[in-house]
Amino acid sequence: MQWLFIAIAAVMETCWTYCLKYLHFKKFALLTWANFFLPEGLGIWLPLLGYVAFGIGNVYFFSLALKTIPTATAFAIWTTVSIIFIKIAELVVTKTRISLPELFFLAVTIIGIAGLKAYSQEVVTE
């Protein structure tokens, strides 16, 4: 179950990153009650709401994973899975291309995750 928490935290991290990408504080000056729930208003404040919600969710699920997975292993796996999810989201959302060197290094990180998971010792805390 703790590995599922890592995956959920990585998804939250990916969503948090994209909220940060679309968050523009200068546009908050354009926000009024008249356009608050209109598409132009939603585009201003929803990234901030997502930033807060996904940030809290990320920290919560990552903290659950830390209860039973060694901290260094959990952090390395969470970071790598987050990077992979962010790259996948980048391919889907922004329609960017992936190069062969990027594929190679993503494969190396996946091999690293498999190795860390295979050789990590579970931590039992009460």
Side-chain angles (χ1 to χ4, degrees), residues 87 97-104:
K87 187 61 182 174
R97 294 184 159 275
I98 191 165
S99 66
L100 283 176
E102 284 178 307
L103 275 175
F104 170 75

Side-chain angles (χ1 to χ4, degrees), residues 74-104:
F75 187 77
I77 292 172
W78 168 75
T79 303
T80 305
V81 172
S82 295
I83 290 169
I84 291 168
F85 285 169
I86 289 169
K87 187 61 182 174
I88 291 169
E90 190 176 80
L91 294 171
V92 173
V93 174
T94 63
K95 308 281 191 254
T96 59
R97 294 184 159 275
I98 191 165
S99 66
L100 283 176
E102 284 178 307
L103 275 175
F104 170 75

Side-chain angles (χ1 to χ4, degrees), residues 19 21 27 40 49 65 68 73 75 81-82 84-85 89 108 115:
C19 287
K21 179 179 179 74
K27 290 186 178 180
E40 61 267 11
L49 180 65
T68 55
T73 302
F75 187 77
V81 172
S82 295
I84 291 168
F85 285 169
V108 169

Side-chain angles (χ1 to χ4, degrees), residues 24-95:
H24 303 287
F25 285 108
K26 290 182 181 180
K27 290 186 178 180
F28 276 92
L30 305 173
L31 196 59
T32 64
W33 285 112
N35 69 0
F36 195 79
F37 292 109
L38 297 177
E40 61 267 11
L42 291 174
I44 296 171
W45 65 268
L46 275 180
L48 179 63
L49 180 65
Y51 173 84
V52 172
F54 290 123
I56 291 170
N58 177 20
V59 170
Y60 175 74
F61 283 106
F62 187 65
S63 70
L64 290 178
L66 287 177
K67 304 286 187 233
T68 55
I69 301 172
T71 304
T73 302
F75 187 77
I77 292 172
W78 168 75
T79 303
T80 305
V81 172
S82 295
I83 290 169
I84 291 168
F85 285 169
I86 289 169
K87 187 61 182 174
I88 291 169
E90 190 176 80
L91 294 171
V92 173
V93 174
T94 63
K95 308 281 191 254

